[in-house]
Amino acid sequence: MSRRASYQGVVAVAPVTIPYERYSIRSAHWWIGSAIRELARTAGIGPRDIDGLCVSSFTLGPDTAVGLTQHLGLSPRWLDHIPMGGATGVVALRRAARAVQAGDAEIVACVAGDTNNPDSFRRMVAGFSRFAADATYPYGAAGPNGSFALLTDAYMRAYGATREDFGRICIAQRANALSNPHALMKRPLTMADYLAARMISDPVALFDCVMPCAGADAYLVMREETARAMSLPAVTIQGTIERHNAFPEDPIQLRGGWALDRDDLYAMAGTTPDRIDVVETYDDYPVIVMMQFEDLGFCAKGEGPDFVRAHDLTIAGDFPHNTSGGQLSVGQAGAAGGYLGLVEAIRQLTGAAGGTQVANARTALVAGFGMINYDRGLCSAAAILGAA
Amino acid sequence: MSGTLPPRKPSDPLAVPAAPLAPPAGRSRAALGLAAAAARGRFALQCCGGCGAAQYPPRDLCHRCLGPDLVWRDVANGGTVLAMTTTRISADPYFRQHTPWRSGLVQLDCGPSAVAHLHRDVAGGERVRMRLHLDKSGQGVMLALPAVDTPDMDADPMLRQMTCDPRGRRVLVTDGRTAFGRAMAQTMLDAGAAQVFCGIADAWKPGPTPPGEAVDLDLTDTASVRRLAAEFGGRIDIVIDTALHIRPGGLLERGDIVRAREEMELAFFGPLRLAQALGPVLRGRAGDGTHAACAWVNILSIAALAPMPGYTTNAAAQAAALSLSTGLRAELRPLKVVTALVGPLDDAWHQAVPPPKVAPAQLAAAVLRALKGGREEIVVGDIAQDVMNRWIDNPATLARDLASG
């Protein structure tokens, strides 16, 4: 049993997505503000009824969540800004849930949004972190493609994964995305297409890479009774973990922080991996998906390749995974990429997933992974959510 | 892949020349220590004075004990390649000129893992020799070489971005009159330079014929320098300024400024004229072809750091020249500016100075090594090294140290 306090009485509601665009002339303020407007509309409240705000964005600079309050005319009594990339969705949930539980806020809007113009991704990558500027960007300026190419190469050497194994993940997600009208990728992907795609940074090829885009995702965190009073379909928070800079002595990243904390996660939720109905992993590159399958206990370390060979990862399959299509097929809207799995999980557990709905989804696991500060992703997080 | 160096090709007059681009240059202040080590040809990392841990990337405190005493120390340069990639699509214009570009993650024998440029003969999963090199931005970068030398390994295109091998290149030696200039020219020819131009300031005077092609060049005459740049600027890839003019004399004993003015003319205004006339031309060709313009070498006296007894005004001129050379380095990127600080020369102007002194062939060999190794700061001769060691130990005491003999 975990000794941590449960999240009982707190729920996540109102999953919102501002449909992604490849390039946008709007600012991050516009995308985030639009998501907050949509949250208020969904909940049937005014924007000023939101008394807690948690923001994540890469392109909001020079502003932070602070400047955003004035920009959007909000007066929250609880404010957070989480710079954790792909881990932000789950971490925001953890922070907001505790704030609501403690009474520091009644209704917390958790929002991630970014804009994307033709040069913003290059600029973001060039100045991503001090270590990136000092010790990775000057080595080919491949950005995350290069960093994940090294992780993929190391993983393939260590565990014998093949490109086909990674292809299975990408192809299943593309099949899922075809049922998601918001996905930017609209064409089916075959194994032949996947394998024939041009190399970007060997062994990472075109379909292993997410497409940067503009967009925003958001949800609300509030008390269960508040949600009931507003007639908002809700999901419960059964367990969560986060970890930063796990295993610093590993010479190269073959595992993430989940491996350190997963027992705590399942103990807190009182469940086991085989009882999870829907899995939403962080998928900026397929290798990290495979690592999450292992580190979150769906298979043993090194068995990721066998796992994807043995399971059907599509919506109707025996292991429904990244049901919206994931970032690989929906697009990566900056920090919103860290929210994609979470809003999809809320939709799945409230029966609101439309074409991507998994039948009888009662329990979902959402994992986040973020910030290749230098040679590895530093932030890992996961949450188990339940249908109310 | 063929191993040999590509032959020099005449430039195609119809082709748009490759722009003189440089890789991303932004670094933290701590990371500049890599460039300082690379410029001197050292493989040094930040080490903690408290717990001894070596760390990379550079930080502001020890990552193990949070100790503040970080010192750059030479460390073991062995490593093992953990992973590698070939970047085919890059966000940066410089790398787009040079893709595919190979890099990898190397576990260093001294502890940390480092992303490094990979030499083409490094296949992966194997032992490598690490070096710090200056890239075209003048920043220190990690480079992994095969554990043992491979045939024609210097011809690796990536390595050639970091080095300035005179092989196949055209070199200007500014002063073909002195034994030092002649030895420099001969050494460059022997190293495979495609052509060596030797400047002659006073062709009417009888004197030994320099190796290579003699050209009129008087560094004290702006018109002469401009004529040379107009006629030969497009055909010079490496400049070696050997016009080291050192005459004995203290500040008080000379009684006027005539000699000092001469010293400034040759040590400061001469290189300045040359840089203003030739610098833009060379910089414009710094990315072009298989043998791009790549280096500018300034030979200076170690007295630039602090006056040697009996050479006071000369030291002042040398200090000005050193400052000029350092400033030129920043403005001339992506070319390398090599500063060679030499001890007393073994020439007629140093008759009263006891040995050890620097011989012409010794200086030329040191400059050749620096060019081939891609170094930017070298010290030549035992006296110069001794002065440099004292300066590194405590710059505040060097001048008093030297003045007391």
Side-chain angles (χ1 to χ4, degrees):
Chain A
M1 276 296 284
S2 167
R3 286 176 295 149
R4 290 190 288 145
S6 85
Y7 297 100
Q8 197 166 10
V10 182
V11 293
V13 300
V16 158
T17 297
I18 306 301
Y20 294 3
E21 295 173 8
R22 173 71 170 110
Y23 292 118
S24 172
I25 60 169
R26 311 291 186 186
S27 64
H29 304 66
W30 185 92
W31 286 94
I32 293 170
S34 298
I36 294 173
R37 184 184 64 235
E38 192 60 19
L39 283 175
R41 194 190 63 76
T42 305
I45 58 178
R48 288 175 183 232
D49 295 326
I50 292 167
D51 64 348
L53 178 63
C54 181
V55 174
S56 293
S57 178
F58 288 109
T59 53
L60 190 58
D63 286 351
T64 65
V66 177
L68 208 53
T69 61
Q70 190 170 35
H71 197 105
L72 301 176
L74 304 174
S75 303
R77 60 177 173 141
W78 181 94
L79 186 66
D80 202 355
H81 188 120
I82 298 180
M84 297 182 195
T88 53
V90 170
V91 172
L93 180 70
R94 285 166 59 87
R95 305 281 192 276
R98 293 304 188 199
V100 167
Q101 205 170 29
D104 290 344
E106 285 291 321
I107 300 176
V108 178
C110 296
V111 194
D114 269 296
T115 190
N116 187 49
N117 61 48
D119 197 39
S120 56
F121 189 74
R122 186 193 65 82
R123 280 185 276 118
M124 195 260 282
V125 167
F128 191 74
S129 68
R130 175 168 148 176
F131 283 0
D134 280 351
T136 54
Y137 195 65
Y139 293 81
N145 294 332
S147 299
F148 278 92
L150 294 176
L151 298 184
T152 304
D153 183 53
Y155 186 93
M156 290 169 85
R157 288 165 193 263
Y159 303 121
T162 64
R163 290 200 59 225
E164 283 87 344
D165 296 328
F166 298 122
R168 286 184 175 89
I169 293 169
C170 302
I171 290 162
Q173 290 193 197
R174 182 61 60 85
N176 294 347
L178 299 179
S179 303
N180 173 7
H182 293 331
L184 291 183
M185 304 295 171
K186 306 286 190 194
R187 291 194 350 221
L189 181 66
T190 66
M191 185 58 86
D193 296 335
Y194 174 86
L195 293 174
R198 63 183 171 140
M199 279 290 164
I200 303 295
S201 197
D202 309 17
V204 163
L206 183 64
F207 295 114
D208 295 308
C209 305
V210 293
M211 187 163 81
C213 61
D217 290 279
Y219 57 87
L220 292 173
V221 177
M222 58 182 62
R223 287 182 185 285
E224 200 164 9
E225 59 261 32
T226 315
R228 204 176 299 119
M230 293 179 174
S231 305
L232 292 170
V235 303
T236 60
I237 306 158
Q238 301 184 344
T240 68
I241 50 170
E242 77 176 80
R243 179 68 65 171
H244 307 281
N245 195 27
F247 309 117
E249 306 303 328
D250 286 2
I252 190 167
Q253 185 165 42
L254 293 171
R255 55 182 174 170
W258 313 283
L260 206 56
D261 300 303
R262 67 161 179 246
D263 291 347
D264 187 24
L265 173 71
Y266 290 113
M268 187 176 189
T271 190
T272 49
D274 56 302
R275 286 154 63 198
I276 304 287
D277 301 319
V278 181
V279 174
E280 308 284 349
T281 63
Y282 189 78
D283 65 326
D284 50 355
Y285 295 83
V287 67
I288 209 69
V289 169
M290 219 175 265
M291 257 184 233
Q292 285 164 87
F293 290 161
E294 296 167 349
D295 296 343
L296 285 162
F298 295 104
C299 61
K301 186 44 85 183
E303 289 180 2
D306 286 336
F307 186 82
V308 299
R309 288 170 205 154
H311 290 278
D312 177 352
L313 308 182
T314 61
I315 294 164
D318 62 332
F319 190 82
H321 169 252
N322 287 0
T323 43
S324 67
Q327 299 179 84
L328 285 165
S329 283
V330 179
Q332 181 180 57
Y339 268 53
L340 190 66
L342 192 57
V343 294
E344 173 69 7
I346 300 172
R347 290 189 179 110
Q348 288 289 344
L349 298 178
T350 54
T356 68
Q357 185 66 52
V358 173
N360 302 317
R362 300 290 303 161
T363 306
L365 186 148
V366 185
F369 176 75
M371 308 305 283
I372 304 279
N373 185 61
Y374 169 46
D375 61 338
R376 63 193 69 197
L378 294 189
C379 311
S380 62
I384 294 175
L385 306 178
Chain B
M1 287 286 286
S2 133
T4 50
L5 195 63
R8 173 170 208 104
K9 281 192 224 153
S11 58
D12 176 359
L14 296 179
V16 178
L21 301 176
R27 296 291 193 280
S28 68
R29 191 168 158 268
L32 299 180
L34 297 168
R40 294 175 168 83
R42 294 170 51 196
F43 188 71
L45 291 186
Q46 262 186 341
C47 296
C48 178
C51 74
Q55 65 182 2
Y56 184 83
R59 295 164 166 92
D60 301 335
L61 294 168
C62 173
H63 75 295
R64 189 159 296 164
C65 71
L66 298 182
D69 300 324
L70 299 174
V71 284
W72 288 84
R73 271 194 207 131
D74 290 345
V75 294
N77 75 334
T80 305
V81 177
L82 298 176
M84 50 193 281
T85 185
T86 302
T87 295
R88 297 170 195 280
I89 308 292
S90 174
D92 181 80
Y94 169 82
F95 285 111
R96 288 179 83 89
Q97 279 182 338
H98 297 285
T99 48
W101 190 275
R102 299 178 73 241
S103 61
L105 189 72
V106 177
Q107 180 164 26
L108 304 176
D109 290 351
C110 63
S113 300
V115 173
H117 301 301
L118 295 188
H119 187 276
R120 68 180 174 198
D121 294 334
V122 172
E126 64 195 43
R127 298 286 301 160
V128 288
R129 277 176 296 171
M130 299 299 292
R131 274 200 212 153
L132 282 170
H133 265 283
L134 294 167
D135 68 10
K136 289 282 186 191
S137 284
Q139 293 294 0
V141 291
M142 291 273 178
L143 200 148
L145 297 172
V148 293
D149 285 357
T150 52
D152 293 304
M153 66 185 292
D154 291 346
D156 175 32
M158 182 271 291
L159 190 55
R160 279 175 59 76
Q161 287 293 306
M162 318 281 174
T163 55
C164 306
D165 195 331
R167 201 161 34 140
R169 287 192 161 101
R170 299 158 304 186
V171 181
L172 170 68
V173 174
T174 57
D175 188 355
R177 275 288 192 224
T178 66
F180 287 90
R182 291 197 306 275
M184 191 68 72
Q186 190 59 53
T187 297
M188 295 302 142
L189 283 170
D190 293 347
Q195 195 163 14
V196 173
F197 304 104
C198 276
I200 299 291
D202 39 16
W204 54 272
K205 272 190 199 166
T209 308
E213 181 181 336
V215 294
D216 287 325
L217 175 62
D218 180 353
L219 289 180
T220 65
D221 175 1
T222 302
S224 164
V225 173
R226 286 191 180 155
R227 270 197 307 275
L228 173 103
E231 195 170 346
F232 298 102
R235 290 189 274 152
I236 294 169
D237 308 315
I238 296 174
V239 170
I240 305 177
D241 186 4
T242 55
L244 189 57
H245 175 89
I246 293 179
R247 302 290 181 268
L251 187 155
L252 298 179
E253 74 192 46
R254 281 185 174 166
D256 63 33
I257 64 166
V258 175
R259 286 288 181 81
R261 198 186 287 275
E262 275 175 19
E263 286 165 346
M264 283 298 285
E265 265 304 326
L266 269 160
F268 180 78
F269 290 109
L272 178 57
R273 286 185 189 96
L274 194 66
Q276 288 178 336
L278 269 182
V281 189
L282 264 68
R283 192 177 54 186
R285 292 193 295 106
D288 201 25
T290 53
H291 296 71
C294 64
W296 189 292
V297 183
N298 289 318
I299 314 280
L300 308 174
S301 165
I302 190 72
L305 297 182
M308 306 278 227
Y311 290 83
T312 320
T313 59
N314 176 263
Q318 292 298 313
L322 176 58
S323 182
L324 185 71
S325 188
T326 307
L328 182 64
R329 181 175 291 148
E331 293 196 26
L332 209 53
R333 297 274 179 224
L335 268 75
K336 283 190 166 65
V337 171
V338 181
T339 304
L341 296 178
V342 302
L345 300 181
D346 195 5
D347 68 4
W349 301 102
H350 291 80
Q351 295 177 49
V353 178
K357 292 187 274 191
V358 174
Q362 182 189 0
L363 176 59
V367 168
L368 178 62
R369 274 197 306 277
L371 289 172
K372 292 176 81 162
R375 293 171 58 179
E376 278 198 329
E377 294 173 38
I378 59 168
V379 173
V380 187
D382 294 338
I383 298 290
Q385 190 60 59
D386 181 72
V387 172
M388 178 58 84
N389 290 346
R390 290 167 197 260
W391 185 81
I392 289 169
D393 182 59
N394 190 346
T397 57
L398 178 64
R400 292 168 197 279
D401 204 355
L402 295 181
S404 65

